[in-house]
Each structure stands twice: as structure tokens, then as C-alpha cells.
Amino acid sequence: MQPSNPTTGYQQSLAHYCRTGEYTHIRGVHTDHVQHYRRLVYNVVDDSLQSAYPLTYHLLEEEEWNNLVQRFFSEHPCQSPQLWYMPKELYDYMIAATHPLLTRYPFLLELLWFEWLEVALYMMEDKTTEYRHQGDLQQDKLVLNPEHHLEHFAFPVHLKQAATIIAEDQSHYFLALHRHPESGEVQFTDLSPAFVSMLESLAEGPATMNELLAHACTTLGIPESEAIRQATQAFLAHALRTQLILGFA
Amino acid sequence: MVGIGFRKDFAKEFLDSNTLQPAFIEAAPENWIGVGGYWKKLFQQALEKYPFYTHGLSLSIGSPDDLDFPFLQQVKQFLQDTNAKVYSEHLSYSKCNNAHLYDLLPIPFTADAVKHVSQRIKTVQEVLERKIAIEIVSYYTPVAPEMLEVDFINHILSEADCELLLDVNNIYVNSFNHQYDAYEFLDQLPLERVSYIHMAGHEKVSDDLLIDTHGEAIIDPVYHLFAYAMQKLQRDVPVLLERDFNIPELPLLQEELTRLQDIKNNALKPMAYAAI
């Protein structure tokens, strides 16, 4: 794109240098000092990405990480005016790019997404809902924490150290992430397909344990049994303790 | 009034004790817009306790790109929601070629830039329905200058009819980096436009370059320049201590707040007849 006037051209040249490290002479610029702009800009982006993706940073070799950051920042025009949200764009970039790291680490996209989910849930705007603290787990309608996210992974990025994940680990992993209403901490809960079904149902609106149980068994085509009822009760009690389920309608 | 930048690094400790006693707090809208959970709780506690000033980071007033109007509307809403006393931004650009850079790049001191930036400040003021304070930023190299820095700034302040955020440390840093007299520079500014003052520390990275890091204590020459500015201003402009990195123990930050207040008090105390 042609700059509309020389001033615009100078600004674009400096910005291009800060993003890519490719410098073309700009009149009046102190060549020894201009490198600090590149250093400062790059460090802000690198620090923010390391902070959002500590597991990925730990997994990758230093050169791999540096190449990733360098390519991302020079190829991808960051759109968020909010620095804390910018790391989401690395995930978006990796989906769009056919990055060689995705071949070496087939689970990398899921790892990035898992890490971003924790940031996003921790930072997300408050969602409130009405509920009672006291109630009967077996009789009353239960209220799901609206600050939650259900996820399905093909690799156990939430269970194993990333460096130890192997091809044989590929399977179906379900989990719920939620933000604790008091501490604000993000907590993770491993789920069976039946519990996923129950939480999906609860996300539609409050329901009793019996309703959830019936919904899950119908959805999965399995008969209700005492063992399933016991497991469901234990799961829901645990979810109440961790505040994945906030309380009672 | 002397305030402090409300930073996540010390927010909890700050709110849980009386060690720091600022008259107000300041934060960047970008760091708090759309944020909930733990941080929002702390932020709300702070807002209930202190008057609130804001200092933007990403509006990119000096950018050749179009203004981000949706973001500007978010800022406007944030200012309303938080009852912000002041909205300030930087005389720089942080977005270009449709990409955010998350740092402050220097605008070329050119007539084209004066015209462009002045119009953008006017537009921002119209959208926000308030005057904004523009900060003179630290810069580490000139970029294709056609005029002196002070003339560039003064033309913009006049044409945009905006307020000035006087960052005393930045003037000190720039005077060192570009070898001019900071006091003479200050003399040439329209001090009647100063609505807000920033004070901070910097880092010397080479014999001929200071970087505005906000990661060190304020040094004596910057305090002296601040005292000179207060003597010239002769009014109680709010002053902010910025400390973003390398955060010290809170009593040390309070010592800086106290020293800033003492300098202000000294500059503004009525003079005895015999001394006039």
C-alpha cells in the first residue's frame, strides 16, 4: 500500500521494523537507538505470550519458541487493543497457519487452546445467576455455574506433562473448566460422556438429579442403574463442593 | 494530590494495608475493560476507596491508521462506569499497518503529523464529550523531523485545544537523549494547559540513551525538574507516581509519594511578604 504522505510512510517503516526486525533507512533516525524500539515491542509481545502459554513455552525448545513468536508477530496483524487478550490471536494464527510445529507436536493446538481457556475464564466478565446455597441434592433443581466451559480434547493436554504426550494417548478427553465464584481461580473437572451430557442439560436451565440422569441415559442409550445413580450423586456432590454447580434453584 | 498507578503486581497488598496512602489511583482502561472475576473484585474495591484517573495505552492517537471507534466507545463507557476524573493518552502511535504494537512509537515531527494528530484528538474529544490530556512521550530517536519537538507539541496542543499531561521524567529523558536543556524546554510549553503530571523512574542503557522504564525510583534531577515545574505552575495539579516494573516494598513507594507531596506543598505554600 502506498503511503498517503511521507509522514505516513516513515511511520509505516518504523512499525514494520518493530514487527519484523527488517529495517530500511528512515531519514533522521538514530540507527543505534532505533533498535531499542524493536527490542521493547518484541519483549512486550514475548512476555505476554509466555505468561499466557507457560506450558507451551516450557514444551518448546528455545529456538522453536523464538521462531514461533517472531513469525506470529511479523506475519499476523494483532487486532486486540488489549494486551491481555492478544495471546488469543496466537491460537487463531496457529489454526490458520500450517506451522511446522503442528507436525512435530500434533497436540500443540489443543495445548494452546487449553492454556488460553484458563486465561479467558479467569479474566472473563462476570456472569451472575440466582441460586440458593441450601437444598436437597436428590430432590431440588440444581444451578450450574454460568462461568464455565465444556471442552473435548483428543490429547490429554490437561492431564499429562506436554513433553510426555505420545501418539498412543490419542483418545477422547472431556473436561469442564469453571471459575470459582469466591477465589476467582479456574478449576478443572474430568468428565465422562454421561457427565458432559448432564452439564450440557444443566446449561439449558436448572434440573433435578433425576432429570439429569434420565437425560444422560437417553442421550447415550444406556439403561439407568443403581451404579449409575450412585456415580451421578457422587459427581454432583463433588461439583457442588467445587462450585461447578453453584447451588439450588 | 499525589496518586499512584494501580497495578496488579501490588493491588492486593495495597488494598489490604494502609501503607500506601495515595490521594487517587490511575489505571489504563485497556487493562480493565471487560475484565471480571478476581481482578474485578479488587478493582471495584479500589474504585470505592479512591478517586480514579485513567491513562490510555492503545488508542494510538498518532497512528496513520483509522481511529478504532468501537474501542473508543468502549473507553467512553468505561470512563462513565468508573466515574473517571481524567482520560489521558500518549502523543505517539501504537498501531500501524492494521497491527497493534503494544508500545509507544514516536510520531515524526512534521506539519502533516500536526494536522493529522490534531484532528484525531479533536475527534476523540468529540466522541468522549470531554477534553483529554495528551502526554509528551519519551523517544529514543527522532523520525524524519521537520521541526523542533517543542514546536510540534505546541502546534498540536493549540490546534487540538486539548490538555497537557506533563510527564516530567519524559522531558528529562528526552533532554538527555536529544541533548537539550529540560528547563528551557519546560519554559516553552503552554503550562496553562497542564491538567495532570506524571513522575517516574528510568534506566540508563548506554552513555547516550535513557529508556523510560517505570521500573526504577525517581532520581533527584527529575525531582528538581518537578519542583521547577510546580514553581512555575503555582496550582495544585494532580501528580501521579508511575511504577510498573521492579516493584519495591510499598513503604518505599510511599516515601516517593511523600516526597512528591512535600515538593508540591513547598512550591505552593504562600510566600511571606518579606520574601516577595
Side-chain angles (χ1 to χ4, degrees):
Chain A
M1 187 175 71
Q2 282 292 318
S4 57
N5 63 47
T7 297
T8 297
Y10 303 139
Q11 291 185 272
Q12 290 174 340
S13 292
L14 180 59
H16 179 78
Y17 166 61
C18 289
R19 283 181 62 198
T20 65
E22 298 164 3
Y23 180 68
T24 46
H25 179 67
I26 305 168
R27 184 171 62 78
V29 163
H30 193 308
T31 49
D32 286 342
H33 292 177
V34 73
Q35 63 186 301
H36 289 284
Y37 281 108
R38 162 69 175 162
R39 176 178 64 82
L40 293 166
V41 165
Y42 185 88
N43 286 348
V44 167
V45 171
D46 191 34
D47 288 349
S48 182
L49 293 174
Q50 283 189 36
S51 176
Y53 298 114
L55 302 179
T56 302
Y57 176 69
H58 187 69
L59 168 72
L60 300 184
E61 292 170 9
E62 186 178 353
E63 188 178 351
E64 289 177 328
W65 174 263
N66 292 339
N67 286 340
L68 175 62
V69 175
Q70 165 68 20
R71 273 189 64 172
F72 161 68
F73 192 53
S74 59
E75 293 175 4
H76 170 81
C78 290
Q79 296 299 297
S80 176
Q82 296 183 269
L83 180 60
W84 74 265
Y85 197 82
M86 178 274 290
K88 163 74 162 47
E89 297 186 35
L90 175 65
Y91 173 75
D92 296 336
Y93 165 79
M94 290 296 278
I95 287 180
T98 49
H99 200 285
L101 283 176
L102 298 178
T103 306
R104 178 168 183 196
Y105 307 104
F107 56 87
L108 184 58
L109 267 183
E110 290 196 345
L111 181 63
L112 288 166
W113 182 237
F114 171 63
E115 294 197 85
W116 175 252
L117 281 177
E118 183 173 5
V119 174
L121 264 175
Y122 188 74
M123 297 292 282
M124 73 186 284
E125 288 192 75
D126 295 345
K127 292 182 183 175
T128 57
T129 189
E130 290 188 3
Y131 66 96
R132 291 181 292 118
H133 289 283
Q134 302 299 323
D136 186 330
L137 180 64
Q138 299 192 52
Q139 300 296 327
D140 292 341
K141 286 182 182 288
L142 302 166
V143 177
L144 185 64
N145 184 337
E147 296 174 342
H148 79 279
H149 179 89
L150 301 178
E151 191 55 67
H152 167 230
F153 287 126
F155 290 96
V157 291
H158 58 301
L159 295 173
K160 291 184 72 174
Q161 279 200 0
T164 67
I165 293 175
I166 55 178
E168 288 70 27
D169 288 326
Q170 194 162 356
S171 182
H172 296 284
Y173 301 91
F174 300 96
L175 76 157
L177 303 89
H178 73 279
R179 185 165 71 187
H180 193 280
E182 301 303 321
S183 71
E185 294 296 326
V186 176
Q187 299 185 11
F188 310 93
T189 307
D190 285 313
L191 302 172
S192 68
F195 295 149
V196 173
S197 174
M198 290 181 197
L199 293 178
E200 285 174 340
S201 177
L202 261 188
E204 301 290 318
T208 63
M209 187 176 88
N210 284 342
E211 289 167 343
L212 296 174
L213 192 57
H215 172 81
C217 288
T218 303
T219 303
L220 299 175
I222 53 175
E224 287 189 39
S225 68
E226 186 54 29
I228 291 177
R229 170 171 286 275
Q230 296 275 336
T232 299
Q233 188 171 340
F235 167 70
L236 294 177
H238 175 77
L240 263 171
R241 281 196 300 276
T242 63
Q243 294 282 273
L244 172 57
I245 291 174
L246 291 174
F248 307 91
Chain B
M1 290 175 74
V2 178
I4 192 146
F6 184 68
R7 302 291 178 258
K8 289 173 182 168
D9 300 84
F10 61 84
K12 182 81 168 67
E13 188 183 355
F14 167 44
L15 291 169
D16 285 351
S17 75
N18 291 317
T19 309
L20 269 184
Q21 299 194 337
F24 65 94
I25 58 167
E26 182 212 80
E30 290 83 350
N31 292 340
W32 299 97
I33 287 173
V35 172
Y38 174 79
W39 290 122
K40 185 174 183 182
K41 282 180 188 167
L42 287 193
F43 187 49
Q44 289 296 342
Q45 281 180 44
L47 290 180
E48 287 164 14
K49 204 170 172 185
Y50 299 99
F52 184 53
Y53 288 54
T54 60
H55 189 47
L57 295 169
S58 297
L59 195 57
S60 200
I61 286 277
S63 174
D65 291 10
D66 291 339
L67 267 173
D68 185 344
F69 284 99
F71 173 62
L72 189 55
Q73 286 296 342
Q74 285 184 298
V75 171
K76 184 176 183 178
Q77 188 63 52
F78 179 82
L79 299 179
Q80 287 173 0
D81 293 346
T82 57
N83 192 27
K85 309 286 181 206
V86 165
Y87 177 63
S88 57
E89 251 288 0
H90 300 87
L91 188 53
S92 66
Y93 68 111
S94 56
K95 185 185 182 195
C96 193
N97 304 325
N98 190 35
H100 279 279
L101 295 141
Y102 306 106
D103 212 336
L104 308 171
L105 304 191
I107 306 169
F109 302 146
T110 67
D112 282 336
V114 167
K115 189 175 168 188
H116 177 66
V117 176
S118 302
Q119 184 53 53
R120 284 164 70 93
I121 294 172
K122 280 193 213 173
T123 303
V124 169
Q125 293 185 142
E126 284 167 14
V127 171
L128 295 181
E129 299 179 280
R130 64 162 79 195
K131 286 269 180 82
I132 67 171
I134 288 294
E135 176 185 326
I136 301 167
V137 296
S138 295
Y139 68 107
Y140 313 124
T141 173
V143 179
E146 289 174 359
M147 63 181 80
L148 292 174
E149 178 194 359
V150 73
D151 293 335
F152 176 73
I153 292 162
N154 287 344
H155 283 315
I156 287 175
L157 292 172
S158 172
E159 289 191 28
D161 191 21
C162 62
E163 296 171 352
L164 174 61
L165 194 176
L166 187 67
D167 189 315
V168 177
N169 178 60
N170 287 352
I171 292 173
Y172 179 84
V173 164
N174 290 342
S175 72
F176 179 89
N177 289 345
H178 309 292
Q179 299 173 7
Y180 58 71
D181 187 309
Y183 291 81
E184 286 179 11
F185 183 91
L186 223 151
D187 286 341
Q188 295 174 73
L189 293 173
L191 296 185
E192 70 279 6
R193 289 190 183 273
V194 175
S195 61
Y196 195 20
I197 292 176
H198 275 182
M199 289 288 287
H202 57 256
E203 183 184 352
K204 189 170 187 178
V205 296
S206 66
D207 287 343
D208 62 351
L209 188 68
L210 303 180
I211 300 276
D212 175 35
T213 56
H214 300 180
E216 305 292 332
I218 303 166
I219 63 170
D220 283 346
V222 178
Y223 277 118
H224 298 157
L225 189 60
F226 170 61
Y228 179 75
M230 286 308 308
Q231 286 289 351
K232 293 204 66 159
L233 281 164
Q234 282 301 307
R235 55 194 169 86
D236 189 7
V237 177
V239 177
L240 182 92
L241 172 62
E242 294 182 291
R243 189 61 181 260
D244 298 339
F245 303 103
N246 193 22
I247 309 290
E249 297 294 317
L250 296 194
L252 292 175
L253 285 181
Q254 181 56 43
E255 282 180 21
E256 289 191 280
L257 292 179
T258 302
R259 185 168 175 185
L260 290 168
Q261 187 63 59
D262 288 347
I263 291 170
K264 280 186 73 173
N265 293 345
N266 196 43
L268 299 180
K269 70 182 175 191
M271 293 176 74
Y273 286 117
I276 297 173

